[in-house]
Amino acid sequence: MNLQNKEAVLIKTDGTYESVKPKNKTHFVLKELQEYVNGLIQMLPSNEQGYVLIVNEEAGCHNDSEENIRGSMYYKYGRTNKLLGDILIVKTKYLK
């Protein structure tokens, strides 16, 4: 998946993904980010320059959270730490 020129990409646990844009066309707001990851958010470093990962900070606390193999590939420490739940990869200029 090529991230160039994308504001953000939502990666689901089943491996599917879709490009997403801020509703207000300038930046994502907190509630919007929470909706994408189904809960409270945590920002993690990406191995893609200019992007961060937005994850559900409580995903590991829930038994129904599935590993996100594709999304973990974009996590700076994804080789050793796997991420759970849906993941939003966001270009930093779209965060305030």
Side-chain angles (χ1 to χ4, degrees):
M1 173 179 51
N2 185 355
L3 293 177
Q4 283 188 332
N5 301 320
K6 291 188 169 104
E7 290 92 343
V9 176
L10 178 65
I11 304 176
K12 301 283 202 169
T13 56
D14 66 3
T16 60
Y17 60 91
E18 64 178 295
S19 294
V20 296
K21 296 181 179 189
K23 291 178 184 173
N24 66 16
K25 300 190 183 357
T26 61
H27 64 277
F28 289 96
V29 297
L30 178 60
K31 183 176 180 179
E32 191 175 3
L33 296 171
Q34 290 172 329
E35 289 171 359
Y36 281 120
V37 299
N38 301 310
L40 301 176
I41 67 165
Q42 180 177 2
M43 292 174 44
L44 298 174
S46 173
N47 55 19
E48 293 285 330
Q49 186 174 1
Y51 288 85
V52 295
L53 304 180
I54 306 294
V55 301
N56 182 323
E57 74 173 8
E58 297 180 324
C61 301
H62 303 292
N63 293 333
D64 60 346
S65 294
E66 295 180 41
E67 183 177 344
N68 191 322
I69 296 168
R70 176 173 261 168
S72 293
M73 293 172 21
Y74 292 93
Y75 180 36
K76 186 174 182 178
Y77 306 105
R79 290 183 184 257
T80 55
N81 297 305
K82 302 302 177 196
L83 301 176
L84 304 176
D86 294 342
I87 298 171
L88 187 65
I89 304 175
V90 181
K91 193 174 254 189
T92 55
K93 76 177 196 175
Y94 292 99
L95 297 173
K96 284 196 173 191

